[in-house]
């Protein structure tokens, strides 16, 4: 099916619009997107395999943030399923999970 992400700025309580997100498959960049005004980005059908989403949160937060880029590595085992990978992030910490 597809892969999507949603970046939420937990420090300011809002979606993180304008965050650059790179998608890597087996170490190679296969797509680069920027989150929309709702903090979302959709990569479409990416198939199965090992992936990494790299979020450029340092540019989003600006002025000397603790976090620069946040890598999230995961495996898509079922190429027919939808995978949603949210990122909850502040300048100092982040968490992620497999969403719906």
């Amino acid at each position: 099916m597809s892969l999507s992400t949603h970046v939420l700025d937990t420090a300011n309580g809002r979606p993180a619009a304008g965050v650059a997100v790179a998608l890597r498959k087996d170490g190679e960049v296969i797509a680069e997107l920027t989150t929309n005004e709702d903090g979302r980005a959709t990569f479409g059908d990416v198939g199965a395999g090992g992936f990494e989403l790299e979020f450029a949160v340092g540019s989003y937060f600006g002025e000397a943030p603790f976090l620069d880029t946040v890598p999230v590595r995961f495996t898509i085992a079922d190429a027919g399923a939808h995978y949603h990978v949210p990122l909850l992030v502040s300048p100092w910490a982040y968490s992620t999970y497999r969403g719906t």
Side-chain angles (χ1 to χ4, degrees):
M1 291 280 265
S2 62
L3 171 65
S4 61
T5 189
H6 189 191
V7 183
L8 298 166
D9 175 347
T10 58
N12 297 298
R14 63 179 179 224
V19 175
V21 185
L23 174 63
R24 289 185 175 79
K25 184 174 185 178
D26 300 322
E28 181 181 333
V29 174
I30 61 169
E32 294 178 299
L33 297 176
T34 302
T35 58
N36 65 17
E37 62 281 345
D38 194 33
R40 296 177 184 272
T42 301
F43 291 92
D45 184 12
V46 297
F51 293 89
E52 177 180 283
L53 287 170
E54 184 180 79
F55 300 88
V57 298
S59 298
Y60 171 79
F61 286 111
E63 188 119 5
F66 174 69
L67 295 173
D68 182 29
T69 58
V70 172
V72 177
R73 295 180 186 98
F74 56 96
T75 300
I76 293 179
D78 181 357
H82 174 69
Y83 283 71
H84 183 64
V85 183
L87 179 72
L88 302 139
V89 66
S90 76
W92 316 279
Y94 66 92
S95 65
T96 189
Y97 58 95
R98 180 175 176 195
T100 57

